[in-house]
PDB file of all heavy atoms in Angstrom:
ATOM      1  N   GLY A  54     -26.648  -1.765  -8.677  1.00 96.00           N
ATOM      2  CA  GLY A  54     -27.011  -2.637  -7.575  1.00 96.00           C
ATOM      3  C   GLY A  54     -26.584  -2.033  -6.252  1.00 96.00           C
ATOM      4  O   GLY A  54     -25.760  -1.107  -6.196  1.00 96.00           O
ATOM      5  N   ALA A  55     -27.118  -2.579  -5.166  1.00 96.00           N
ATOM      6  CA  ALA A  55     -26.757  -2.099  -3.833  1.00 96.00           C
ATOM      7  C   ALA A  55     -25.349  -2.518  -3.459  1.00 96.00           C
ATOM      8  O   ALA A  55     -24.725  -1.914  -2.576  1.00 96.00           O
ATOM      9  CB  ALA A  55     -27.750  -2.630  -2.806  1.00 96.00           C
ATOM     10  N   GLY A  56     -24.827  -3.552  -4.134  1.00 96.00           N
ATOM     11  CA  GLY A  56     -23.460  -3.995  -3.893  1.00 96.00           C
ATOM     12  C   GLY A  56     -23.390  -5.268  -3.081  1.00 96.00           C
ATOM     13  O   GLY A  56     -24.310  -5.615  -2.334  1.00 96.00           O
ATOM     14  N   LEU A  57     -22.284  -5.966  -3.230  1.00 97.00           N
ATOM     15  CA  LEU A  57     -22.052  -7.215  -2.520  1.00 97.00           C
ATOM     16  C   LEU A  57     -21.235  -7.004  -1.252  1.00 97.00           C
ATOM     17  O   LEU A  57     -21.171  -7.875  -0.387  1.00 97.00           O
ATOM     18  CB  LEU A  57     -21.345  -8.212  -3.443  1.00 97.00           C
ATOM     19  CG  LEU A  57     -22.124  -8.581  -4.716  1.00 97.00           C
ATOM     20  CD1 LEU A  57     -21.245  -9.379  -5.670  1.00 97.00           C
ATOM     21  CD2 LEU A  57     -23.378  -9.359  -4.375  1.00 97.00           C
ATOM     22  N   VAL A  58     -20.571  -5.853  -1.155  1.00 96.00           N
ATOM     23  CA  VAL A  58     -19.760  -5.507   0.010  1.00 96.00           C
ATOM     24  C   VAL A  58     -20.514  -4.461   0.825  1.00 96.00           C
ATOM     25  O   VAL A  58     -21.022  -3.493   0.249  1.00 96.00           O
ATOM     26  CB  VAL A  58     -18.384  -4.950  -0.425  1.00 96.00           C
ATOM     27  CG1 VAL A  58     -17.617  -4.404   0.762  1.00 96.00           C
ATOM     28  CG2 VAL A  58     -17.579  -6.023  -1.141  1.00 96.00           C
ATOM     29  N   PRO A  59     -20.613  -4.624   2.140  1.00 93.00           N
ATOM     30  CA  PRO A  59     -21.316  -3.616   2.935  1.00 93.00           C
ATOM     31  C   PRO A  59     -20.536  -2.305   3.014  1.00 93.00           C
ATOM     32  O   PRO A  59     -19.309  -2.287   2.907  1.00 93.00           O
ATOM     33  CB  PRO A  59     -21.411  -4.276   4.326  1.00 93.00           C
ATOM     34  CG  PRO A  59     -20.300  -5.274   4.355  1.00 93.00           C
ATOM     35  CD  PRO A  59     -20.146  -5.770   2.937  1.00 93.00           C
ATOM     36  N   GLY A  60     -21.265  -1.213   3.173  1.00 91.00           N
ATOM     37  CA  GLY A  60     -20.628   0.091   3.341  1.00 91.00           C
ATOM     38  C   GLY A  60     -20.247   0.757   2.045  1.00 91.00           C
ATOM     39  O   GLY A  60     -20.613   0.320   0.952  1.00 91.00           O
ATOM     40  N   ASP A  61     -19.473   1.833   2.152  1.00 90.00           N
ATOM     41  CA  ASP A  61     -19.042   2.596   0.985  1.00 90.00           C
ATOM     42  C   ASP A  61     -17.916   1.861   0.268  1.00 90.00           C
ATOM     43  O   ASP A  61     -17.190   1.059   0.842  1.00 90.00           O
ATOM     44  CB  ASP A  61     -18.561   3.982   1.409  1.00 90.00           C
ATOM     45  CG  ASP A  61     -19.682   4.825   2.001  1.00 90.00           C
ATOM     46  OD1 ASP A  61     -20.842   4.593   1.617  1.00 90.00           O
ATOM     47  OD2 ASP A  61     -19.385   5.688   2.848  1.00 90.00           O
ATOM     48  N   ILE A  62     -17.766   2.166  -1.021  1.00 90.00           N
ATOM     49  CA  ILE A  62     -16.665   1.590  -1.795  1.00 90.00           C
ATOM     50  C   ILE A  62     -15.575   2.638  -1.967  1.00 90.00           C
ATOM     51  O   ILE A  62     -15.817   3.839  -1.835  1.00 90.00           O
ATOM     52  CB  ILE A  62     -17.139   1.081  -3.165  1.00 90.00           C
ATOM     53  CG1 ILE A  62     -17.831   2.191  -3.970  1.00 90.00           C
ATOM     54  CG2 ILE A  62     -18.059  -0.105  -3.005  1.00 90.00           C
ATOM     55  CD1 ILE A  62     -18.155   1.782  -5.390  1.00 90.00           C
ATOM     56  N   HIS A  63     -14.378   2.141  -2.259  1.00 90.00           N
ATOM     57  CA  HIS A  63     -13.237   3.035  -2.415  1.00 90.00           C
ATOM     58  C   HIS A  63     -12.763   3.020  -3.859  1.00 90.00           C
ATOM     59  O   HIS A  63     -13.287   2.291  -4.703  1.00 90.00           O
ATOM     60  CB  HIS A  63     -12.107   2.608  -1.471  1.00 90.00           C
ATOM     61  CG  HIS A  63     -11.749   1.156  -1.575  1.00 90.00           C
ATOM     62  ND1 HIS A  63     -11.150   0.594  -2.682  1.00 90.00           N
ATOM     63  CD2 HIS A  63     -11.913   0.140  -0.683  1.00 90.00           C
ATOM     64  CE1 HIS A  63     -10.956  -0.679  -2.490  1.00 90.00           C
ATOM     65  NE2 HIS A  63     -11.407  -1.006  -1.286  1.00 90.00           N
ATOM     66  N   ASP A  64     -11.775   3.821  -4.156  1.00 87.00           N
ATOM     67  CA  ASP A  64     -11.170   3.853  -5.487  1.00 87.00           C
ATOM     68  C   ASP A  64     -10.702   2.475  -5.891  1.00 87.00           C
ATOM     69  O   ASP A  64     -10.220   1.690  -5.079  1.00 87.00           O
ATOM     70  CB  ASP A  64      -9.992   4.834  -5.482  1.00 87.00           C
ATOM     71  CG  ASP A  64      -9.333   4.913  -6.848  1.00 87.00           C
ATOM     72  OD1 ASP A  64      -9.865   5.636  -7.700  1.00 87.00           O
ATOM     73  OD2 ASP A  64      -8.329   4.228  -7.051  1.00 87.00           O
ATOM     74  N   SER A  65     -10.839   2.162  -7.175  1.00 88.00           N
ATOM     75  CA  SER A  65     -10.535   0.809  -7.650  1.00 88.00           C
ATOM     76  C   SER A  65      -9.082   0.411  -7.434  1.00 88.00           C
ATOM     77  O   SER A  65      -8.760  -0.775  -7.372  1.00 88.00           O
ATOM     78  CB  SER A  65     -10.875   0.685  -9.135  1.00 88.00           C
ATOM     79  OG  SER A  65     -10.134   1.619  -9.901  1.00 88.00           O
ATOM     80  N   LEU A  66      -8.176   1.366  -7.345  1.00 87.00           N
ATOM     81  CA  LEU A  66      -6.762   1.044  -7.135  1.00 87.00           C
ATOM     82  C   LEU A  66      -6.382   1.091  -5.653  1.00 87.00           C
ATOM     83  O   LEU A  66      -5.213   1.000  -5.304  1.00 87.00           O
ATOM     84  CB  LEU A  66      -5.884   2.004  -7.932  1.00 87.00           C
ATOM     85  CG  LEU A  66      -6.105   1.989  -9.443  1.00 87.00           C
ATOM     86  CD1 LEU A  66      -5.188   3.010 -10.120  1.00 87.00           C
ATOM     87  CD2 LEU A  66      -5.868   0.611 -10.024  1.00 87.00           C
ATOM     88  N   GLY A  67      -7.407   1.232  -4.788  1.00 89.00           N
ATOM     89  CA  GLY A  67      -7.161   1.277  -3.354  1.00 89.00           C
ATOM     90  C   GLY A  67      -7.070  -0.110  -2.741  1.00 89.00           C
ATOM     91  O   GLY A  67      -6.725  -1.083  -3.416  1.00 89.00           O
ATOM     92  N   PRO A  68      -7.398  -0.243  -1.446  1.00 92.00           N
ATOM     93  CA  PRO A  68      -7.295  -1.542  -0.766  1.00 92.00           C
ATOM     94  C   PRO A  68      -8.152  -2.602  -1.439  1.00 92.00           C
ATOM     95  O   PRO A  68      -9.151  -2.307  -2.085  1.00 92.00           O
ATOM     96  CB  PRO A  68      -7.809  -1.229   0.654  1.00 92.00           C
ATOM     97  CG  PRO A  68      -7.665   0.243   0.805  1.00 92.00           C
ATOM     98  CD  PRO A  68      -7.864   0.825  -0.553  1.00 92.00           C
ATOM     99  N   SER A  69      -7.768  -3.853  -1.236  1.00 93.00           N
ATOM    100  CA  SER A  69      -8.471  -4.956  -1.877  1.00 93.00           C
ATOM    101  C   SER A  69      -9.867  -5.155  -1.283  1.00 93.00           C
ATOM    102  O   SER A  69     -10.083  -4.960  -0.089  1.00 93.00           O
ATOM    103  CB  SER A  69      -7.664  -6.240  -1.710  1.00 93.00           C
ATOM    104  OG  SER A  69      -8.385  -7.345  -2.204  1.00 93.00           O
ATOM    105  N   PHE A  70     -10.812  -5.561  -2.153  1.00 94.00           N
ATOM    106  CA  PHE A  70     -12.136  -5.944  -1.696  1.00 94.00           C
ATOM    107  C   PHE A  70     -12.176  -7.413  -1.285  1.00 94.00           C
ATOM    108  O   PHE A  70     -13.183  -7.892  -0.759  1.00 94.00           O
ATOM    109  CB  PHE A  70     -13.168  -5.739  -2.820  1.00 94.00           C
ATOM    110  CG  PHE A  70     -13.506  -4.300  -3.088  1.00 94.00           C
ATOM    111  CD1 PHE A  70     -13.120  -3.700  -4.272  1.00 94.00           C
ATOM    112  CD2 PHE A  70     -14.240  -3.557  -2.171  1.00 94.00           C
ATOM    113  CE1 PHE A  70     -13.453  -2.382  -4.543  1.00 94.00           C
ATOM    114  CE2 PHE A  70     -14.577  -2.242  -2.433  1.00 94.00           C
ATOM    115  CZ  PHE A  70     -14.185  -1.647  -3.620  1.00 94.00           C
ATOM    116  N   ALA A  71     -11.115  -8.152  -1.564  1.00 94.00           N
ATOM    117  CA  ALA A  71     -11.108  -9.594  -1.298  1.00 94.00           C
ATOM    118  C   ALA A  71     -11.340  -9.860   0.182  1.00 94.00           C
ATOM    119  O   ALA A  71     -10.779  -9.191   1.053  1.00 94.00           O
ATOM    120  CB  ALA A  71      -9.785 -10.206  -1.745  1.00 94.00           C
ATOM    121  N   GLY A  72     -12.173 -10.863   0.463  1.00 93.00           N
ATOM    122  CA  GLY A  72     -12.427 -11.268   1.834  1.00 93.00           C
ATOM    123  C   GLY A  72     -13.484 -10.457   2.552  1.00 93.00           C
ATOM    124  O   GLY A  72     -13.833 -10.766   3.689  1.00 93.00           O
ATOM    125  N   LEU A  73     -14.019  -9.406   1.917  1.00 94.00           N
ATOM    126  CA  LEU A  73     -15.020  -8.571   2.567  1.00 94.00           C
ATOM    127  C   LEU A  73     -16.440  -9.088   2.368  1.00 94.00           C
ATOM    128  O   LEU A  73     -17.361  -8.651   3.045  1.00 94.00           O
ATOM    129  CB  LEU A  73     -14.936  -7.130   2.044  1.00 94.00           C
ATOM    130  CG  LEU A  73     -13.604  -6.406   2.266  1.00 94.00           C
ATOM    131  CD1 LEU A  73     -13.688  -4.983   1.744  1.00 94.00           C
ATOM    132  CD2 LEU A  73     -13.239  -6.409   3.757  1.00 94.00           C
ATOM    133  N   SER A  74     -16.623 -10.016   1.410  1.00 96.00           N
ATOM    134  CA  SER A  74     -17.952 -10.535   1.103  1.00 96.00           C
ATOM    135  C   SER A  74     -17.817 -11.915   0.480  1.00 96.00           C
ATOM    136  O   SER A  74     -17.095 -12.088  -0.505  1.00 96.00           O
ATOM    137  CB  SER A  74     -18.675  -9.590   0.136  1.00 96.00           C
ATOM    138  OG  SER A  74     -19.742 -10.241  -0.517  1.00 96.00           O
ATOM    139  N   LYS A  75     -18.520 -12.897   1.055  1.00 97.00           N
ATOM    140  CA  LYS A  75     -18.492 -14.235   0.473  1.00 97.00           C
ATOM    141  C   LYS A  75     -19.100 -14.244  -0.924  1.00 97.00           C
ATOM    142  O   LYS A  75     -18.648 -14.978  -1.801  1.00 97.00           O
ATOM    143  CB  LYS A  75     -19.244 -15.210   1.386  1.00 97.00           C
ATOM    144  CG  LYS A  75     -18.542 -15.526   2.694  1.00 97.00           C
ATOM    145  CD  LYS A  75     -19.318 -16.557   3.496  1.00 97.00           C
ATOM    146  CE  LYS A  75     -18.582 -16.887   4.794  1.00 97.00           C
ATOM    147  NZ  LYS A  75     -19.332 -17.895   5.603  1.00 97.00           N
ATOM    148  N   GLU A  76     -20.115 -13.401  -1.125  1.00 97.00           N
ATOM    149  CA  GLU A  76     -20.757 -13.331  -2.440  1.00 97.00           C
ATOM    150  C   GLU A  76     -19.804 -12.765  -3.484  1.00 97.00           C
ATOM    151  O   GLU A  76     -19.703 -13.276  -4.603  1.00 97.00           O
ATOM    152  CB  GLU A  76     -22.032 -12.485  -2.366  1.00 97.00           C
ATOM    153  CG  GLU A  76     -23.180 -13.105  -1.600  1.00 97.00           C
ATOM    154  CD  GLU A  76     -23.005 -13.003  -0.094  1.00 97.00           C
ATOM    155  OE1 GLU A  76     -22.132 -12.210   0.358  1.00 97.00           O
ATOM    156  OE2 GLU A  76     -23.731 -13.708   0.636  1.00 97.00           O
ATOM    157  N   LEU A  77     -19.091 -11.695  -3.148  1.00 97.00           N
ATOM    158  CA  LEU A  77     -18.140 -11.114  -4.091  1.00 97.00           C
ATOM    159  C   LEU A  77     -16.980 -12.077  -4.342  1.00 97.00           C
ATOM    160  O   LEU A  77     -16.532 -12.231  -5.493  1.00 97.00           O
ATOM    161  CB  LEU A  77     -17.614  -9.776  -3.571  1.00 97.00           C
ATOM    162  CG  LEU A  77     -16.626  -9.034  -4.483  1.00 97.00           C
ATOM    163  CD1 LEU A  77     -17.228  -8.770  -5.856  1.00 97.00           C
ATOM    164  CD2 LEU A  77     -16.176  -7.726  -3.834  1.00 97.00           C
ATOM    165  N   ASP A  78     -16.491 -12.742  -3.301  1.00 97.00           N
ATOM    166  CA  ASP A  78     -15.432 -13.739  -3.487  1.00 97.00           C
ATOM    167  C   ASP A  78     -15.893 -14.850  -4.418  1.00 97.00           C
ATOM    168  O   ASP A  78     -15.140 -15.330  -5.272  1.00 97.00           O
ATOM    169  CB  ASP A  78     -15.013 -14.334  -2.135  1.00 97.00           C
ATOM    170  CG  ASP A  78     -14.262 -13.331  -1.253  1.00 97.00           C
ATOM    171  OD1 ASP A  78     -13.811 -12.301  -1.781  1.00 97.00           O
ATOM    172  OD2 ASP A  78     -14.142 -13.603  -0.044  1.00 97.00           O
ATOM    173  N   ALA A  79     -17.164 -15.268  -4.270  1.00 98.00           N
ATOM    174  CA  ALA A  79     -17.709 -16.327  -5.125  1.00 98.00           C
ATOM    175  C   ALA A  79     -17.804 -15.861  -6.576  1.00 98.00           C
ATOM    176  O   ALA A  79     -17.471 -16.603  -7.512  1.00 98.00           O
ATOM    177  CB  ALA A  79     -19.078 -16.764  -4.615  1.00 98.00           C
ATOM    178  N   LEU A  80     -18.240 -14.619  -6.774  1.00 98.00           N
ATOM    179  CA  LEU A  80     -18.328 -14.066  -8.132  1.00 98.00           C
ATOM    180  C   LEU A  80     -16.955 -14.056  -8.789  1.00 98.00           C
ATOM    181  O   LEU A  80     -16.804 -14.423  -9.963  1.00 98.00           O
ATOM    182  CB  LEU A  80     -18.914 -12.658  -8.082  1.00 98.00           C
ATOM    183  CG  LEU A  80     -19.009 -11.889  -9.398  1.00 98.00           C
ATOM    184  CD1 LEU A  80     -19.809 -12.656 -10.440  1.00 98.00           C
ATOM    185  CD2 LEU A  80     -19.604 -10.494  -9.172  1.00 98.00           C
ATOM    186  N   VAL A  81     -15.937 -13.672  -8.045  1.00 97.00           N
ATOM    187  CA  VAL A  81     -14.571 -13.652  -8.582  1.00 97.00           C
ATOM    188  C   VAL A  81     -14.086 -15.079  -8.859  1.00 97.00           C
ATOM    189  O   VAL A  81     -13.400 -15.322  -9.851  1.00 97.00           O
ATOM    190  CB  VAL A  81     -13.627 -12.909  -7.621  1.00 97.00           C
ATOM    191  CG1 VAL A  81     -12.169 -13.081  -8.046  1.00 97.00           C
ATOM    192  CG2 VAL A  81     -13.983 -11.423  -7.589  1.00 97.00           C
ATOM    193  N   ASP A  82     -14.456 -16.034  -8.005  1.00 97.00           N
ATOM    194  CA  ASP A  82     -14.102 -17.434  -8.265  1.00 97.00           C
ATOM    195  C   ASP A  82     -14.609 -17.866  -9.633  1.00 97.00           C
ATOM    196  O   ASP A  82     -13.898 -18.534 -10.405  1.00 97.00           O
ATOM    197  CB  ASP A  82     -14.696 -18.354  -7.190  1.00 97.00           C
ATOM    198  CG  ASP A  82     -13.909 -18.309  -5.892  1.00 97.00           C
ATOM    199  OD1 ASP A  82     -12.792 -17.754  -5.886  1.00 97.00           O
ATOM    200  OD2 ASP A  82     -14.426 -18.823  -4.878  1.00 97.00           O
ATOM    201  N   TYR A  83     -15.851 -17.484  -9.933  1.00 97.00           N
ATOM    202  CA  TYR A  83     -16.396 -17.852 -11.240  1.00 97.00           C
ATOM    203  C   TYR A  83     -15.674 -17.118 -12.364  1.00 97.00           C
ATOM    204  O   TYR A  83     -15.312 -17.723 -13.388  1.00 97.00           O
ATOM    205  CB  TYR A  83     -17.900 -17.566 -11.318  1.00 97.00           C
ATOM    206  CG  TYR A  83     -18.416 -17.774 -12.721  1.00 97.00           C
ATOM    207  CD1 TYR A  83     -18.423 -19.041 -13.298  1.00 97.00           C
ATOM    208  CD2 TYR A  83     -18.832 -16.699 -13.500  1.00 97.00           C
ATOM    209  CE1 TYR A  83     -18.844 -19.229 -14.609  1.00 97.00           C
ATOM    210  CE2 TYR A  83     -19.256 -16.878 -14.803  1.00 97.00           C
ATOM    211  CZ  TYR A  83     -19.257 -18.150 -15.355  1.00 97.00           C
ATOM    212  OH  TYR A  83     -19.661 -18.336 -16.659  1.00 97.00           O
ATOM    213  N   MET A  84     -15.450 -15.825 -12.201  1.00 96.00           N
ATOM    214  CA  MET A  84     -14.779 -15.055 -13.252  1.00 96.00           C
ATOM    215  C   MET A  84     -13.380 -15.613 -13.536  1.00 96.00           C
ATOM    216  O   MET A  84     -12.947 -15.663 -14.684  1.00 96.00           O
ATOM    217  CB  MET A  84     -14.714 -13.581 -12.865  1.00 96.00           C
ATOM    218  CG  MET A  84     -16.075 -12.903 -12.827  1.00 96.00           C
ATOM    219  SD  MET A  84     -16.012 -11.200 -12.203  1.00 96.00           S
ATOM    220  CE  MET A  84     -15.059 -10.407 -13.479  1.00 96.00           C
ATOM    221  N   GLU A  85     -12.682 -16.047 -12.484  1.00 95.00           N
ATOM    222  CA  GLU A  85     -11.343 -16.619 -12.674  1.00 95.00           C
ATOM    223  C   GLU A  85     -11.394 -17.980 -13.360  1.00 95.00           C
ATOM    224  O   GLU A  85     -10.392 -18.427 -13.911  1.00 95.00           O
ATOM    225  CB  GLU A  85     -10.632 -16.721 -11.329  1.00 95.00           C
ATOM    226  CG  GLU A  85     -10.200 -15.369 -10.764  1.00 95.00           C
ATOM    227  CD  GLU A  85      -9.480 -15.489  -9.443  1.00 95.00           C
ATOM    228  OE1 GLU A  85      -9.691 -16.505  -8.734  1.00 95.00           O
ATOM    229  OE2 GLU A  85      -8.703 -14.566  -9.095  1.00 95.00           O
ATOM    230  N   SER A  86     -12.562 -18.628 -13.333  1.00 95.00           N
ATOM    231  CA  SER A  86     -12.688 -19.942 -13.974  1.00 95.00           C
ATOM    232  C   SER A  86     -12.936 -19.837 -15.472  1.00 95.00           C
ATOM    233  O   SER A  86     -12.889 -20.844 -16.183  1.00 95.00           O
ATOM    234  CB  SER A  86     -13.837 -20.727 -13.326  1.00 95.00           C
ATOM    235  OG  SER A  86     -15.111 -20.248 -13.760  1.00 95.00           O
ATOM    236  N   ILE A  87     -13.201 -18.628 -15.963  1.00 94.00           N
ATOM    237  CA  ILE A  87     -13.489 -18.435 -17.394  1.00 94.00           C
ATOM    238  C   ILE A  87     -12.160 -18.402 -18.148  1.00 94.00           C
ATOM    239  O   ILE A  87     -11.435 -17.406 -18.107  1.00 94.00           O
ATOM    240  CB  ILE A  87     -14.284 -17.141 -17.633  1.00 94.00           C
ATOM    241  CG1 ILE A  87     -15.587 -17.153 -16.831  1.00 94.00           C
ATOM    242  CG2 ILE A  87     -14.586 -16.959 -19.122  1.00 94.00           C
ATOM    243  CD1 ILE A  87     -16.305 -15.820 -16.805  1.00 94.00           C
ATOM    244  N   GLU A  88     -11.852 -19.490 -18.799  1.00 88.00           N
ATOM    245  CA  GLU A  88     -10.549 -19.633 -19.441  1.00 88.00           C
ATOM    246  C   GLU A  88     -10.638 -19.471 -20.953  1.00 88.00           C
ATOM    247  O   GLU A  88     -11.707 -19.620 -21.551  1.00 88.00           O
ATOM    248  CB  GLU A  88      -9.952 -21.001 -19.102  1.00 88.00           C
ATOM    249  CG  GLU A  88      -9.730 -21.223 -17.608  1.00 88.00           C
ATOM    250  CD  GLU A  88      -9.194 -22.598 -17.311  1.00 88.00           C
ATOM    251  OE1 GLU A  88      -9.225 -23.462 -18.223  1.00 88.00           O
ATOM    252  OE2 GLU A  88      -8.731 -22.828 -16.176  1.00 88.00           O
ATOM    253  N   VAL A  89      -9.523 -19.171 -21.562  1.00 81.00           N
ATOM    254  CA  VAL A  89      -9.436 -19.144 -23.016  1.00 81.00           C
ATOM    255  C   VAL A  89      -9.465 -20.582 -23.516  1.00 81.00           C
ATOM    256  O   VAL A  89      -8.697 -21.425 -23.024  1.00 81.00           O
ATOM    257  CB  VAL A  89      -8.136 -18.463 -23.493  1.00 81.00           C
ATOM    258  CG1 VAL A  89      -8.048 -18.467 -25.008  1.00 81.00           C
ATOM    259  CG2 VAL A  89      -8.060 -17.041 -22.950  1.00 81.00           C
ATOM    260  N   PRO A  90     -10.366 -20.956 -24.462  1.00 70.00           N
ATOM    261  CA  PRO A  90     -10.405 -22.327 -24.964  1.00 70.00           C
ATOM    262  C   PRO A  90      -9.055 -22.770 -25.511  1.00 70.00           C
ATOM    263  O   PRO A  90      -8.319 -21.975 -26.106  1.00 70.00           O
ATOM    264  CB  PRO A  90     -11.458 -22.263 -26.081  1.00 70.00           C
ATOM    265  CG  PRO A  90     -12.316 -21.096 -25.717  1.00 70.00           C
ATOM    266  CD  PRO A  90     -11.396 -20.110 -25.064  1.00 70.00           C
ATOM    267  N   VAL A  91      -8.742 -24.036 -25.297  1.00 59.00           N
ATOM    268  CA  VAL A  91      -7.462 -24.583 -25.744  1.00 59.00           C
ATOM    269  C   VAL A  91      -7.287 -24.403 -27.244  1.00 59.00           C
ATOM    270  O   VAL A  91      -6.197 -24.095 -27.738  1.00 59.00           O
ATOM    271  CB  VAL A  91      -7.363 -26.072 -25.363  1.00 59.00           C
ATOM    272  CG1 VAL A  91      -6.102 -26.702 -25.950  1.00 59.00           C
ATOM    273  CG2 VAL A  91      -7.385 -26.237 -23.858  1.00 59.00           C
ATOM    274  N   ASP A  92      -8.393 -24.557 -28.006  1.00 57.00           N
ATOM    275  CA  ASP A  92      -8.299 -24.422 -29.471  1.00 57.00           C
ATOM    276  C   ASP A  92      -7.797 -23.043 -29.866  1.00 57.00           C
ATOM    277  O   ASP A  92      -7.050 -22.874 -30.821  1.00 57.00           O
ATOM    278  CB  ASP A  92      -9.651 -24.606 -30.163  1.00 57.00           C
ATOM    279  CG  ASP A  92     -10.592 -25.528 -29.438  1.00 57.00           C
ATOM    280  OD1 ASP A  92     -10.606 -25.460 -28.212  1.00 57.00           O
ATOM    281  OD2 ASP A  92     -11.289 -26.266 -30.117  1.00 57.00           O
ATOM    282  N   LEU A  93      -8.244 -22.016 -29.114  1.00 45.00           N
ATOM    283  CA  LEU A  93      -7.825 -20.656 -29.456  1.00 45.00           C
ATOM    284  C   LEU A  93      -6.358 -20.439 -29.117  1.00 45.00           C
ATOM    285  O   LEU A  93      -5.632 -19.750 -29.823  1.00 45.00           O
ATOM    286  CB  LEU A  93      -8.704 -19.642 -28.704  1.00 45.00           C
ATOM    287  CG  LEU A  93     -10.191 -19.632 -29.069  1.00 45.00           C
ATOM    288  CD1 LEU A  93     -10.906 -18.526 -28.307  1.00 45.00           C
ATOM    289  CD2 LEU A  93     -10.399 -19.465 -30.562  1.00 45.00           C
ATOM    290  N   LEU A  94      -5.922 -21.039 -28.002  1.00 43.00           N
ATOM    291  CA  LEU A  94      -4.529 -20.889 -27.630  1.00 43.00           C
ATOM    292  C   LEU A  94      -3.609 -21.583 -28.624  1.00 43.00           C
ATOM    293  O   LEU A  94      -2.504 -21.118 -28.912  1.00 43.00           O
ATOM    294  CB  LEU A  94      -4.296 -21.485 -26.227  1.00 43.00           C
ATOM    295  CG  LEU A  94      -4.947 -20.702 -25.061  1.00 43.00           C
ATOM    296  CD1 LEU A  94      -4.817 -21.500 -23.777  1.00 43.00           C
ATOM    297  CD2 LEU A  94      -4.302 -19.344 -24.907  1.00 43.00           C
ATOM    298  N   SER A  95      -4.064 -22.713 -29.174  1.00 45.00           N
ATOM    299  CA  SER A  95      -3.233 -23.468 -30.101  1.00 45.00           C
ATOM    300  C   SER A  95      -3.272 -22.925 -31.516  1.00 45.00           C
ATOM    301  O   SER A  95      -2.447 -23.274 -32.349  1.00 45.00           O
ATOM    302  CB  SER A  95      -3.699 -24.930 -30.130  1.00 45.00           C
ATOM    303  OG  SER A  95      -5.000 -25.032 -30.689  1.00 45.00           O
ATOM    304  N   GLY A  96      -4.313 -22.079 -31.767  1.00 44.00           N
ATOM    305  CA  GLY A  96      -4.444 -21.530 -33.099  1.00 44.00           C
ATOM    306  C   GLY A  96      -5.118 -22.467 -34.084  1.00 44.00           C
ATOM    307  O   GLY A  96      -5.191 -22.192 -35.281  1.00 44.00           O
ATOM    308  N   ASP A  97      -5.702 -23.584 -33.584  1.00 46.00           N
ATOM    309  CA  ASP A  97      -6.322 -24.555 -34.476  1.00 46.00           C
ATOM    310  C   ASP A  97      -7.778 -24.234 -34.768  1.00 46.00           C
ATOM    311  O   ASP A  97      -8.384 -24.810 -35.645  1.00 46.00           O
ATOM    312  CB  ASP A  97      -6.265 -25.962 -33.860  1.00 46.00           C
ATOM    313  CG  ASP A  97      -4.842 -26.477 -33.751  1.00 46.00           C
ATOM    314  OD1 ASP A  97      -4.013 -26.003 -34.557  1.00 46.00           O
ATOM    315  OD2 ASP A  97      -4.570 -27.333 -32.901  1.00 46.00           O
ATOM    316  N   SER A  98      -8.369 -23.319 -33.997  1.00 43.00           N
ATOM    317  CA  SER A  98      -9.790 -23.041 -34.141  1.00 43.00           C
ATOM    318  C   SER A  98     -10.074 -22.194 -35.371  1.00 43.00           C
ATOM    319  O   SER A  98      -9.278 -21.371 -35.787  1.00 43.00           O
ATOM    320  CB  SER A  98     -10.293 -22.324 -32.905  1.00 43.00           C
ATOM    321  OG  SER A  98     -11.588 -21.828 -33.123  1.00 43.00           O
ATOM    322  N   GLU A  99     -11.298 -22.391 -35.928  1.00 43.00           N
ATOM    323  CA  GLU A  99     -11.775 -21.550 -37.014  1.00 43.00           C
ATOM    324  C   GLU A  99     -12.783 -20.528 -36.495  1.00 43.00           C
ATOM    325  O   GLU A  99     -13.527 -19.946 -37.266  1.00 43.00           O
ATOM    326  CB  GLU A  99     -12.468 -22.425 -38.077  1.00 43.00           C
ATOM    327  CG  GLU A  99     -11.559 -23.457 -38.717  1.00 43.00           C
ATOM    328  CD  GLU A  99     -12.340 -24.356 -39.659  1.00 43.00           C
ATOM    329  OE1 GLU A  99     -13.297 -23.878 -40.295  1.00 43.00           O
ATOM    330  OE2 GLU A  99     -12.013 -25.531 -39.767  1.00 43.00           O
TER     331      GLU A  99
END
């Protein structure tokens, strides 16, 4: 893709991309909302 942040990108361990793009911030908001189901954490799931 052309990217969600304008301009060139840097090394992944370099400065943060946070705050440079509302679209990228929104994508991360969704990714952070993906949680481990409670059943898996409790060990009750099959």
Side-chain angles (χ1 to χ4, degrees):
L57 300 170
V58 172
D61 295 332
I62 56 173
H63 51 68
D64 180 81
S65 59
L66 300 179
S69 174
F70 287 112
L73 300 182
S74 161
K75 289 183 179 180
E76 290 78 15
L77 181 57
D78 290 344
L80 177 56
V81 170
D82 283 348
Y83 172 66
M84 293 174 65
E85 288 181 336
S86 76
I87 303 169
E88 299 178 347
V89 179
V91 174
D92 330 39
L93 296 183
L94 291 172
S95 66
D97 294 334
S98 169
E99 299 175 34

